[in-house]
Amino acid sequence: MAASRAAKFTAALAVGLGLLSGSAPAATLYRPEVSSKDPRDLSGVWFLRRYNRVIPTLEGTPPPMTERAKLEWAKRVVAEANGAPIADASSHCWPHGTPRVMNSPYPLQIFQTANQVIIAHEVAHNTRYVHMQRGHLTPAKVSFMGDSVGHWEGDTLVIDTVGVDDRTWIDEQGVIHGPKLHTVERIRKIEDGKAIENVVTVEDTDFFTKPWVFRDTYAWRPDLRLTEYVCEENNRNAPQDGVTVAK
Amino acid sequence: MKTTLLAVIAVAAITGVATAEPIPAPADQLRFQGIWKLAGGDHSTVKTTVGKLPPMRPEARARYDAAVAARKAGKPTGDTAETCLPPGLPRAIFYPQPFHLIVEPNQVTFLHEYMHLHRLVFIQDALPANDDLDQNWLGFSAGRWDKGALVVRSRGFNDKTTIDTAGIPHSTELMLTERLRLVDKDTLEDVITIDDPKTFTSPWQTKITFQRLPDDTEIGEYICTLTNPEAVKK
């Protein structure tokens, strides 16, 4: 996982500017201080505000897990406590999956094209494609990031995702899912464009007794650029026989 | 006096961008946006624009010959891309998988299907000196628009990748200059000048062409480590 050369350069530039203008160095901004006034223009770099490896529901409770899900969760918690954590997709450098990738403490950059909203994540250079001009494929095509389709409801981008490979987890602790996972994300700008919120409904009748909701917010970060994150380089957590090995 | 003026202009150029509402890229630049794919041809062995092997120094040529021989004999070549590491530049653009090219005023972004690589080209930046850059797999790319073409200069590479799959080596002194232009609305040409005095006796050029794919083309999920499980254990 290489350090940010861009950050090094940015710092040098910021110091340089500070010296030239005779004031304290200010952060270099690559984009406007506030995101576009267009509520449907989400393009730019955003950063998760509250990172938590466990994802609580809106009510602050653990997700409403079925008996099967509770057993799987307990197995993972115990394995980790015993120093032999069970590997999830990300341990193998596979894509993190949805919604897990949205809960990463790394910046993401949103791009919008005629047909798609694309979310490029710094973490493991995950890329999510949200198809704006079609519904879900039948039969569903399974992938690690799932099949995401989107539409606008007013100024809210609604992303519906199915077909998420069940080797991905929901959180980092042990809340997992099966092939029936269905998420609906509702993303909109808040705080005059200085942040976006994502209200996520998670549904999987095999793993949850009822749909549950969590909310994340992401700050507009004009001072950041995605840097190179290479999971495959020196992966200290490469699993052996399904167990994550900390080297 | 001249230096101060330049500095003021530089400050204005940088901070000016920071306060305004984003302005869309001009139409002639947006024409580059789309989904592109290598237009035929096998680029696993890269030749110069006159069809020759690049002018390698003897030591580089020996490494190249060894890599070619090892591959032919089915022996390990030390090719890091085979263990799912980013293939470096220019090699990343030689793969047959498609890529999104997204044009914004301050950034041109290549989103590749191959290894889901992100390549960011920063339009506002001057290219820093090599010593001021970390050595990354995909280097650092600074771009500018010039008479309808996108000129991208890249350096700050590690020396663990090769120029092509065959095994043309390079050092950390590698510097690329790419001139991307639209031959027609559906054909993108990239003329690449490769300069690395430690590896080559002179700069050399190669040319690659991409064909536009329909806008509703979907980029697949390419996961190198899924088919190469040993790769993450290195």
Side-chain angles (χ1 to χ4, degrees), chain B residues 26-111:
Chain B
D28 62 328
Q29 297 174 10
L30 280 173
R31 290 187 309 140
F32 284 69
Q33 182 156 308
I35 302 162
W36 299 92
K37 188 184 197 317
L38 203 59
D42 175 11
H43 290 268
S44 57
T45 300
V46 170
K47 298 276 173 62
T48 67
T49 42
V50 289
K52 293 188 171 165
L53 266 183
M56 286 179 262
R57 292 189 180 280
E59 192 190 298
R61 181 59 197 255
R63 282 176 64 193
Y64 174 74
D65 288 342
V68 171
R71 197 176 296 276
K72 202 174 167 188
K75 291 179 182 163
T77 59
D79 182 356
T80 46
E82 285 180 4
T83 58
C84 300
L85 287 160
L89 292 178
R91 190 170 165 193
I93 62 168
F94 294 155
Y95 289 90
Q97 288 80 10
F99 61 89
H100 260 281
L101 188 59
I102 296 171
V103 177
E104 297 174 303
N106 56 358
Q107 187 176 315
V108 173
T109 310
F110 293 70
L111 298 173

Coordinates of all heavy atoms in Angstrom, one line a residue, chain B residues 26-111:
Chain B
P26 N -14.8 22.0 -22.0 CA -15.2 22.4 -23.3 C -15.6 21.2 -24.2 O -15.1 20.1 -24.0 CB -14.0 23.1 -23.9 CG -13.1 23.4 -22.7 CD -13.4 22.4 -21.7
A27 N -16.5 21.5 -25.1 CA -17.0 20.4 -26.0 C -16.0 19.6 -26.7 O -16.0 18.4 -26.8 CB -18.0 21.0 -26.9
D28 N -14.9 20.4 -27.2 CA -13.9 19.6 -27.9 C -13.1 18.7 -27.0 O -12.5 17.7 -27.5 CB -12.9 20.6 -28.6 CG -12.2 21.5 -27.7 OD1 -12.8 21.8 -26.6 OD2 -11.1 21.9 -28.0
Q29 N -13.1 19.0 -25.7 CA -12.4 18.0 -24.8 C -13.3 16.9 -24.4 O -12.9 15.7 -24.3 CB -11.9 18.8 -23.5 CG -10.9 19.8 -23.8 CD -10.5 20.7 -22.6 OE1 -10.9 20.3 -21.5 NE2 -9.8 21.7 -22.8
L30 N -14.6 17.2 -24.3 CA -15.6 16.2 -23.9 C -15.8 15.1 -25.0 O -16.2 14.0 -24.7 CB -17.0 16.9 -23.6 CG -17.1 17.5 -22.2 CD1 -18.4 18.2 -22.1 CD2 -17.0 16.4 -21.1
R31 N -15.4 15.5 -26.2 CA -15.5 14.5 -27.3 C -14.6 13.2 -27.0 O -14.8 12.2 -27.5 CB -15.1 15.1 -28.6 CG -16.1 16.1 -29.1 CD -15.7 16.5 -30.5 NE -14.3 17.0 -30.6 CZ -13.5 16.7 -31.7 NH1 -14.0 16.0 -32.7 NH2 -12.3 17.1 -31.7
F32 N -13.6 13.4 -26.1 CA -12.7 12.3 -25.8 C -13.4 11.3 -24.8 O -13.0 10.2 -24.6 CB -11.4 12.8 -25.1 CG -10.4 13.4 -26.1 CD1 -10.7 14.6 -26.7 CD2 -9.2 12.8 -26.3 CE1 -9.7 15.2 -27.6 CE2 -8.3 13.3 -27.2 CZ -8.5 14.5 -27.8
Q33 N -14.4 11.8 -24.1 CA -15.1 11.0 -23.1 C -15.8 9.8 -23.7 O -16.4 10.0 -24.8 CB -16.1 11.9 -22.3 CG -16.7 11.1 -21.2 CD -17.2 12.0 -20.1 OE1 -16.5 12.8 -19.5 NE2 -18.5 11.9 -19.7
G34 N -15.8 8.7 -23.1 CA -16.5 7.6 -23.6 C -15.8 6.3 -23.2 O -15.0 6.3 -22.2
I35 N -16.2 5.2 -23.8 CA -15.7 3.9 -23.5 C -14.9 3.4 -24.7 O -15.4 3.4 -25.8 CB -16.8 2.9 -23.1 CG1 -17.6 3.5 -21.9 CG2 -16.3 1.5 -22.8 CD1 -18.9 2.9 -21.7
W36 N -13.6 3.1 -24.4 CA -12.7 2.8 -25.5 C -12.1 1.4 -25.3 O -12.0 0.9 -24.2 CB -11.6 3.8 -25.5 CG -12.0 5.2 -25.8 CD1 -12.4 6.2 -24.8 CD2 -12.2 5.9 -27.0 NE1 -12.7 7.3 -25.4 CE2 -12.7 7.2 -26.8 CE3 -12.1 5.5 -28.3 CZ2 -13.0 8.1 -27.8 CZ3 -12.3 6.4 -29.4 CH2 -12.8 7.7 -29.1
K37 N -11.7 0.9 -26.5 CA -11.1 -0.5 -26.5 C -10.0 -0.5 -27.5 O -10.1 0.2 -28.6 CB -12.2 -1.5 -26.8 CG -11.8 -2.9 -26.7 CD -13.0 -3.7 -27.2 CE -13.0 -5.2 -26.8 NZ -11.8 -5.9 -26.8
L38 N -8.9 -1.2 -27.2 CA -7.8 -1.4 -28.1 C -8.4 -1.7 -29.5 O -9.2 -2.6 -29.7 CB -7.0 -2.5 -27.6 CG -5.5 -2.6 -28.0 CD1 -4.8 -1.3 -27.6 CD2 -4.9 -3.8 -27.4
A39 N -7.9 -1.0 -30.5 CA -8.4 -1.3 -31.9 C -7.5 -2.4 -32.6 O -6.6 -2.1 -33.4 CB -8.4 0.0 -32.7
G40 N -7.7 -3.6 -32.2 CA -7.0 -4.7 -32.9 C -5.5 -4.7 -32.6 O -5.0 -3.8 -31.9
G41 N -4.9 -5.8 -33.0 CA -3.4 -5.8 -32.9 C -3.1 -6.4 -31.5 O -3.7 -6.2 -30.5
D42 N -2.0 -7.1 -31.5 CA -1.5 -7.7 -30.2 C -0.4 -6.7 -29.7 O 0.6 -6.5 -30.4 CB -0.9 -9.1 -30.5 CG -0.3 -9.7 -29.2 OD1 -0.4 -9.1 -28.1 OD2 0.4 -10.7 -29.4
H43 N -0.6 -6.2 -28.5 CA 0.4 -5.3 -28.0 C 1.2 -5.9 -26.9 O 1.8 -5.2 -26.0 CB -0.2 -4.0 -27.5 CG -0.7 -3.2 -28.7 ND1 0.0 -2.2 -29.3 CD2 -1.9 -3.3 -29.4 CE1 -0.7 -1.7 -30.3 NE2 -1.8 -2.3 -30.4
S44 N 1.3 -7.2 -26.9 CA 2.1 -7.9 -25.8 C 3.6 -7.7 -26.1 O 4.4 -7.7 -25.2 CB 1.8 -9.3 -25.7 OG 2.0 -10.0 -26.9
T45 N 3.9 -7.5 -27.4 CA 5.3 -7.1 -27.7 C 5.2 -5.7 -28.4 O 4.7 -5.6 -29.5 CB 5.9 -8.1 -28.7 OG1 5.9 -9.4 -28.1 CG2 7.3 -7.8 -29.1
V46 N 5.8 -4.8 -27.7 CA 5.7 -3.4 -28.2 C 6.9 -3.1 -29.1 O 8.0 -3.4 -28.8 CB 5.6 -2.4 -27.1 CG1 5.8 -1.0 -27.5 CG2 4.3 -2.6 -26.4
K47 N 6.6 -2.5 -30.3 CA 7.6 -2.1 -31.2 C 7.5 -0.6 -31.4 O 6.5 0.1 -31.1 CB 7.3 -2.8 -32.6 CG 7.4 -4.3 -32.5 CD 8.9 -4.8 -32.6 CE 9.0 -6.3 -32.4 NZ 8.3 -7.1 -33.4
T48 N 8.6 0.0 -31.9 CA 8.6 1.4 -32.2 C 7.7 1.7 -33.4 O 7.2 0.8 -34.0 CB 10.0 1.9 -32.5 OG1 10.4 1.3 -33.8 CG2 11.1 1.5 -31.5
T49 N 7.5 3.0 -33.6 CA 6.6 3.3 -34.7 C 7.1 2.9 -36.1 O 6.4 2.8 -37.1 CB 6.3 4.9 -34.8 OG1 7.6 5.5 -34.5 CG2 5.3 5.3 -33.7
V50 N 8.4 2.5 -36.1 CA 8.9 2.0 -37.4 C 9.1 0.5 -37.3 O 9.8 -0.1 -38.1 CB 10.3 2.7 -37.8 CG1 10.0 4.1 -38.3 CG2 11.3 2.7 -36.7
G51 N 8.4 -0.1 -36.3 CA 8.4 -1.6 -36.3 C 9.6 -2.3 -35.8 O 9.8 -3.5 -36.0
K52 N 10.4 -1.6 -35.0 CA 11.6 -2.2 -34.5 C 11.6 -2.3 -33.0 O 10.7 -1.7 -32.3 CB 12.8 -1.3 -34.8 CG 13.1 -1.2 -36.3 CD 14.4 -0.5 -36.6 CE 14.8 -0.6 -38.0 NZ 15.8 0.3 -38.4
L53 N 12.5 -3.1 -32.4 CA 12.6 -3.2 -31.0 C 13.2 -1.9 -30.5 O 14.0 -1.3 -31.2 CB 13.6 -4.3 -30.6 CG 13.0 -5.7 -30.3 CD1 14.2 -6.6 -29.8 CD2 12.0 -5.6 -29.1
P54 N 12.8 -1.4 -29.4 CA 13.3 -0.1 -28.9 C 14.8 -0.2 -28.7 O 15.4 -1.3 -28.5 CB 12.6 0.2 -27.6 CG 12.0 -1.1 -27.2 CD 11.8 -1.9 -28.4
P55 N 15.5 1.0 -28.7 CA 17.0 1.0 -28.6 C 17.5 0.8 -27.2 O 17.8 1.7 -26.5 CB 17.3 2.4 -29.1 CG 16.1 3.2 -28.8 CD 14.9 2.3 -28.9
M56 N 17.5 -0.5 -26.8 CA 17.8 -0.8 -25.4 C 19.3 -0.8 -25.2 O 20.1 -1.3 -26.1 CB 17.3 -2.2 -25.0 CG 15.8 -2.3 -24.8 SD 15.2 -4.0 -24.4 CE 14.6 -4.5 -26.0
R57 N 19.8 -0.4 -24.0 CA 21.2 -0.5 -23.7 C 21.5 -2.0 -23.5 O 20.6 -2.8 -23.2 CB 21.5 0.3 -22.4 CG 21.4 1.8 -22.6 CD 21.9 2.6 -21.4 NE 21.7 4.0 -21.6 CZ 22.5 4.8 -22.4 NH1 23.6 4.2 -22.9 NH2 22.3 6.0 -22.6
P58 N 22.8 -2.4 -23.6 CA 23.1 -3.8 -23.5 C 22.5 -4.5 -22.3 O 22.0 -5.6 -22.4 CB 24.6 -3.8 -23.5 CG 25.0 -2.5 -24.2 CD 23.9 -1.5 -23.8
E59 N 22.6 -3.9 -21.1 CA 22.1 -4.5 -19.9 C 20.6 -4.8 -20.0 O 20.1 -5.8 -19.6 CB 22.5 -3.7 -18.7 CG 22.3 -4.4 -17.4 CD 22.4 -3.5 -16.2 OE1 23.5 -2.9 -16.0 OE2 21.4 -3.3 -15.5
A60 N 19.9 -3.8 -20.5 CA 18.4 -3.9 -20.6 C 18.1 -4.9 -21.6 O 17.2 -5.7 -21.5 CB 17.9 -2.5 -21.0
R61 N 18.9 -5.0 -22.7 CA 18.6 -6.0 -23.8 C 18.8 -7.4 -23.2 O 18.1 -8.3 -23.5 CB 19.6 -5.7 -25.0 CG 19.4 -6.6 -26.1 CD 17.9 -6.6 -26.7 NE 17.6 -7.7 -27.5 CZ 17.5 -7.7 -28.8 NH1 17.7 -6.5 -29.5 NH2 17.2 -8.8 -29.5
A62 N 19.8 -7.5 -22.4 CA 20.1 -8.9 -21.8 C 18.9 -9.3 -20.9 O 18.5 -10.4 -20.9 CB 21.4 -8.8 -21.0
R63 N 18.4 -8.3 -20.1 CA 17.2 -8.6 -19.3 C 16.0 -9.0 -20.1 O 15.3 -9.9 -19.8 CB 16.9 -7.4 -18.4 CG 17.8 -7.3 -17.2 CD 17.4 -6.0 -16.4 NE 16.1 -6.0 -15.8 CZ 15.5 -5.0 -15.3 NH1 16.1 -3.8 -15.3 NH2 14.3 -5.1 -14.8
Y64 N 15.9 -8.3 -21.2 CA 14.7 -8.5 -22.1 C 14.9 -9.9 -22.7 O 13.9 -10.7 -22.7 CB 14.7 -7.4 -23.2 CG 13.7 -7.7 -24.3 CD1 12.3 -7.5 -24.0 CD2 14.0 -8.1 -25.6 CE1 11.4 -7.7 -25.0 CE2 13.1 -8.3 -26.6 CZ 11.8 -8.1 -26.3 OH 10.8 -8.3 -27.2
D65 N 16.0 -10.2 -23.3 CA 16.3 -11.5 -23.9 C 16.0 -12.6 -22.9 O 15.4 -13.7 -23.2 CB 17.7 -11.6 -24.5 CG 17.9 -10.7 -25.7 OD1 16.8 -10.3 -26.3 OD2 19.0 -10.4 -26.1
A66 N 16.4 -12.4 -21.7 CA 16.2 -13.5 -20.6 C 14.8 -13.7 -20.4 O 14.3 -14.8 -20.2 CB 17.0 -13.1 -19.3
A67 N 14.0 -12.6 -20.3 CA 12.6 -12.7 -20.0 C 11.8 -13.4 -21.2 O 11.0 -14.2 -21.0 CB 11.9 -11.3 -19.8
V68 N 12.2 -13.0 -22.4 CA 11.6 -13.7 -23.6 C 11.9 -15.2 -23.6 O 11.0 -16.0 -23.8 CB 12.1 -13.0 -24.9 CG1 11.6 -13.8 -26.1 CG2 11.6 -11.6 -24.9
A69 N 13.2 -15.5 -23.3 CA 13.6 -16.9 -23.3 C 12.8 -17.7 -22.2 O 12.4 -18.8 -22.4 CB 15.1 -17.0 -23.1
A70 N 12.7 -17.1 -21.0 CA 12.1 -17.7 -19.9 C 10.6 -18.0 -20.2 O 10.1 -19.1 -20.0 CB 12.2 -16.9 -18.6
R71 N 9.9 -17.0 -20.8 CA 8.5 -17.2 -21.1 C 8.4 -18.3 -22.2 O 7.4 -19.1 -22.1 CB 7.9 -15.8 -21.7 CG 6.4 -15.8 -21.7 CD 5.9 -14.4 -22.1 NE 6.3 -13.4 -21.2 CZ 5.6 -13.0 -20.1 NH1 4.5 -13.7 -19.8 NH2 6.0 -12.0 -19.4
K72 N 9.3 -18.3 -23.1 CA 9.2 -19.3 -24.2 C 9.4 -20.7 -23.6 O 8.7 -21.7 -24.0 CB 10.3 -19.0 -25.2 CG 10.0 -19.6 -26.6 CD 11.1 -19.2 -27.6 CE 11.0 -20.0 -28.9 NZ 12.1 -19.7 -29.7
A73 N 10.2 -20.8 -22.6 CA 10.5 -22.1 -22.0 C 9.5 -22.4 -20.8 O 9.6 -23.5 -20.2 CB 11.9 -22.1 -21.4
G74 N 8.5 -21.5 -20.6 CA 7.5 -21.8 -19.6 C 8.1 -21.6 -18.2 O 7.5 -22.2 -17.2
K75 N 9.2 -20.9 -18.1 CA 9.8 -20.7 -16.7 C 9.3 -19.3 -16.2 O 8.9 -18.4 -16.9 CB 11.3 -20.7 -16.9 CG 11.8 -22.1 -17.2 CD 13.4 -22.0 -17.3 CE 13.9 -23.4 -17.7 NZ 15.3 -23.3 -18.2
P76 N 9.5 -19.1 -14.9 CA 9.1 -17.8 -14.3 C 9.9 -16.6 -14.9 O 11.1 -16.7 -15.1 CB 9.5 -17.9 -12.8 CG 9.6 -19.4 -12.6 CD 10.0 -20.0 -13.9
T77 N 9.2 -15.6 -15.2 CA 9.8 -14.4 -15.9 C 10.0 -13.3 -14.9 O 10.7 -12.3 -15.2 CB 8.9 -13.9 -17.0 OG1 7.7 -13.5 -16.4 CG2 8.7 -14.9 -18.1
G78 N 9.4 -13.4 -13.7 CA 9.5 -12.3 -12.7 C 8.5 -11.2 -13.1 O 8.6 -10.1 -12.5
D79 N 7.6 -11.5 -14.0 CA 6.6 -10.5 -14.4 C 5.6 -10.2 -13.2 O 4.8 -11.1 -12.9 CB 5.9 -10.9 -15.6 CG 4.9 -9.9 -16.2 OD1 4.7 -8.9 -15.5 OD2 4.3 -10.2 -17.2
T80 N 5.7 -9.0 -12.6 CA 4.9 -8.7 -11.5 C 3.4 -8.7 -11.8 O 2.5 -9.0 -11.0 CB 5.3 -7.4 -10.8 OG1 5.4 -6.4 -11.9 CG2 6.6 -7.5 -10.1
A81 N 3.1 -8.4 -13.1 CA 1.6 -8.3 -13.4 C 1.0 -9.7 -13.4 O -0.2 -9.9 -13.2 CB 1.5 -7.8 -14.9
E82 N 1.8 -10.8 -13.5 CA 1.3 -12.1 -13.3 C 0.9 -12.4 -11.9 O 0.2 -13.4 -11.7 CB 2.4 -13.1 -13.8 CG 2.5 -13.1 -15.3 CD 3.5 -14.1 -15.8 OE1 4.1 -14.9 -15.0 OE2 3.8 -14.2 -17.0
T83 N 1.3 -11.6 -11.0 CA 0.9 -11.8 -9.6 C 0.0 -10.7 -9.2 O -0.1 -10.3 -8.0 CB 2.1 -11.9 -8.6 OG1 2.9 -10.7 -8.7 CG2 3.0 -13.1 -8.9
C84 N -0.8 -10.2 -10.1 CA -1.9 -9.3 -9.9 C -1.5 -7.9 -9.4 O -2.3 -7.1 -8.9 CB -2.9 -9.8 -8.9 SG -3.6 -11.4 -9.5
L85 N -0.2 -7.5 -9.6 CA 0.2 -6.2 -9.3 C 0.0 -5.3 -10.5 O 0.0 -5.7 -11.7 CB 1.7 -6.2 -8.9 CG 1.9 -6.8 -7.5 CD1 3.4 -7.2 -7.4 CD2 1.5 -5.8 -6.5
P86 N -0.3 -4.0 -10.3 CA -0.6 -3.1 -11.4 C 0.5 -3.2 -12.4 O 1.7 -3.2 -12.1 CB -0.7 -1.7 -10.8 CG -1.1 -2.0 -9.4 CD -0.4 -3.3 -9.0
P87 N 0.2 -3.2 -13.7 CA 1.2 -3.5 -14.7 C 2.1 -2.3 -15.1 O 3.0 -2.4 -16.0 CB 0.4 -3.9 -15.9 CG -0.9 -3.2 -15.8 CD -1.1 -3.1 -14.3
G88 N 1.8 -1.1 -14.5 CA 2.6 0.1 -14.8 C 2.1 0.7 -16.1 O 1.1 0.3 -16.7
L89 N 2.8 1.8 -16.5 CA 2.5 2.4 -17.8 C 3.8 2.3 -18.7 O 4.9 2.3 -18.2 CB 2.2 3.9 -17.5 CG 0.9 4.2 -16.8 CD1 0.7 5.7 -16.6 CD2 -0.3 3.6 -17.5
P90 N 3.6 2.3 -20.0 CA 2.3 2.4 -20.7 C 1.5 1.1 -20.8 O 0.5 1.0 -21.3 CB 2.8 2.8 -22.1 CG 4.1 2.2 -22.3 CD 4.7 2.2 -20.9
R91 N 2.1 0.0 -20.1 CA 1.5 -1.3 -20.3 C 0.0 -1.4 -20.0 O -0.7 -2.2 -20.6 CB 2.3 -2.3 -19.5 CG 2.0 -3.8 -19.8 CD 3.0 -4.7 -19.1 NE 2.5 -6.0 -19.1 CZ 3.0 -7.0 -18.3 NH1 4.1 -6.7 -17.6 NH2 2.6 -8.2 -18.4
A92 N -0.4 -0.7 -19.0 CA -1.8 -0.7 -18.6 C -2.8 -0.5 -19.7 O -3.9 -1.0 -19.7 CB -2.1 0.2 -17.4
I93 N -2.4 0.3 -20.7 CA -3.3 0.7 -21.8 C -3.1 -0.3 -23.0 O -3.8 -0.2 -24.0 CB -3.1 2.1 -22.3 CG1 -1.7 2.4 -22.8 CG2 -3.4 3.1 -21.2 CD1 -1.6 3.7 -23.6
F94 N -2.2 -1.3 -22.8 CA -2.0 -2.3 -23.9 C -2.9 -3.5 -23.8 O -2.9 -4.4 -24.7 CB -0.6 -2.7 -24.0 CG 0.4 -1.6 -24.3 CD1 1.7 -1.7 -23.9 CD2 0.0 -0.5 -25.1 CE1 2.7 -0.8 -24.3 CE2 0.9 0.5 -25.4 CZ 2.3 0.3 -25.0
Y95 N -3.7 -3.6 -22.8 CA -4.6 -4.7 -22.6 C -5.9 -4.6 -23.4 O -6.3 -3.5 -23.7 CB -4.9 -4.9 -21.1 CG -3.7 -5.4 -20.3 CD1 -2.8 -4.5 -19.7 CD2 -3.4 -6.8 -20.2 CE1 -1.7 -4.9 -19.0 CE2 -2.3 -7.2 -19.5 CZ -1.5 -6.3 -18.9 OH -0.3 -6.7 -18.3
P96 N -6.5 -5.7 -23.8 CA -7.6 -5.7 -24.7 C -8.9 -5.3 -24.0 O -9.9 -5.0 -24.6 CB -7.7 -7.1 -25.2 CG -7.0 -8.0 -24.3 CD -5.9 -7.1 -23.6
Q97 N -8.9 -5.3 -22.6 CA -10.2 -4.9 -21.9 C -10.5 -3.4 -22.1 O -9.6 -2.6 -22.2 CB -10.1 -5.2 -20.4 CG -10.1 -6.7 -20.1 CD -8.7 -7.4 -20.3 OE1 -7.7 -6.7 -20.5 NE2 -8.7 -8.7 -20.3
P98 N -11.8 -3.1 -22.1 CA -12.1 -1.7 -22.4 C -11.9 -0.8 -21.1 O -11.6 -1.3 -20.0 CB -13.7 -1.7 -22.6 CG -14.1 -3.0 -22.0 CD -13.0 -3.9 -22.0
F99 N -11.9 0.5 -21.4 CA -11.8 1.5 -20.3 C -12.7 2.7 -20.5 O -13.0 3.0 -21.6 CB -10.3 1.9 -20.1 CG -9.7 2.6 -21.3 CD1 -9.9 4.0 -21.4 CD2 -9.0 1.9 -22.2 CE1 -9.3 4.7 -22.5 CE2 -8.5 2.6 -23.3 CZ -8.6 3.9 -23.5
H100 N -13.2 3.3 -19.4 CA -13.9 4.5 -19.4 C -12.9 5.7 -19.5 O -11.9 5.6 -18.7 CB -14.7 4.7 -18.1 CG -16.1 4.4 -18.2 ND1 -17.0 5.2 -18.8 CD2 -16.8 3.3 -17.8 CE1 -18.2 4.7 -18.7 NE2 -18.1 3.5 -18.1
L101 N -13.1 6.6 -20.3 CA -12.3 7.8 -20.3 C -13.2 9.0 -19.9 O -14.2 9.2 -20.6 CB -11.6 8.1 -21.6 CG -10.6 9.2 -21.7 CD1 -9.4 8.9 -20.8 CD2 -10.1 9.3 -23.2
I102 N -12.9 9.6 -18.7 CA -13.8 10.6 -18.2 C -13.1 11.9 -18.2 O -12.0 12.0 -17.7 CB -14.4 10.2 -16.8 CG1 -15.2 8.9 -17.0 CG2 -15.2 11.4 -16.2 CD1 -15.6 8.3 -15.7
V103 N -13.7 12.9 -18.8 CA -13.0 14.2 -19.0 C -13.7 15.2 -18.1 O -14.9 15.5 -18.2 CB -13.1 14.7 -20.4 CG1 -12.5 16.1 -20.6 CG2 -12.4 13.7 -21.4
E104 N -13.0 15.8 -17.1 CA -13.4 16.9 -16.3 C -12.3 18.0 -16.5 O -11.2 17.7 -16.9 CB -13.5 16.4 -14.8 CG -14.5 15.4 -14.6 CD -14.5 14.8 -13.2 OE1 -13.5 14.4 -12.7 OE2 -15.6 14.9 -12.5
P105 N -12.7 19.2 -16.1 CA -11.8 20.3 -16.4 C -10.4 20.1 -15.7 O -9.4 20.5 -16.2 CB -12.5 21.6 -15.8 CG -13.9 21.2 -15.8 CD -14.0 19.7 -15.6
N106 N -10.4 19.5 -14.5 CA -9.2 19.4 -13.7 C -8.6 18.0 -13.7 O -7.6 17.8 -13.1 CB -9.4 19.9 -12.3 CG -10.6 19.2 -11.6 OD1 -11.2 18.3 -12.2 ND2 -10.8 19.5 -10.4
Q107 N -9.3 17.1 -14.3 CA -8.9 15.7 -14.2 C -9.4 14.9 -15.4 O -10.6 15.0 -15.7 CB -9.3 15.1 -12.9 CG -8.8 13.7 -12.6 CD -9.2 13.2 -11.2 OE1 -9.1 13.9 -10.2 NE2 -9.6 12.0 -11.1
V108 N -8.5 14.1 -16.0 CA -9.0 13.2 -17.0 C -8.7 11.8 -16.3 O -7.6 11.6 -15.8 CB -8.2 13.3 -18.3 CG1 -8.6 12.2 -19.3 CG2 -8.6 14.7 -19.0
T109 N -9.7 10.9 -16.3 CA -9.6 9.7 -15.6 C -9.8 8.5 -16.5 O -10.7 8.5 -17.3 CB -10.6 9.7 -14.5 OG1 -10.5 10.9 -13.7 CG2 -10.4 8.5 -13.5
F110 N -8.9 7.5 -16.4 CA -9.0 6.3 -17.1 C -9.5 5.3 -16.0 O -8.8 5.0 -15.0 CB -7.7 5.8 -17.6 CG -7.1 6.6 -18.7 CD1 -6.6 7.9 -18.5 CD2 -7.0 6.1 -20.0 CE1 -6.0 8.6 -19.5 CE2 -6.4 6.8 -21.0 CZ -5.9 8.1 -20.8
L111 N -10.7 4.7 -16.2 CA -11.2 3.6 -15.4 C -11.1 2.3 -16.2 O -12.0 2.1 -17.0 CB -12.6 3.9 -14.9 CG -12.7 5.2 -14.0 CD1 -14.2 5.5 -13.7 CD2 -11.9 5.1 -12.7

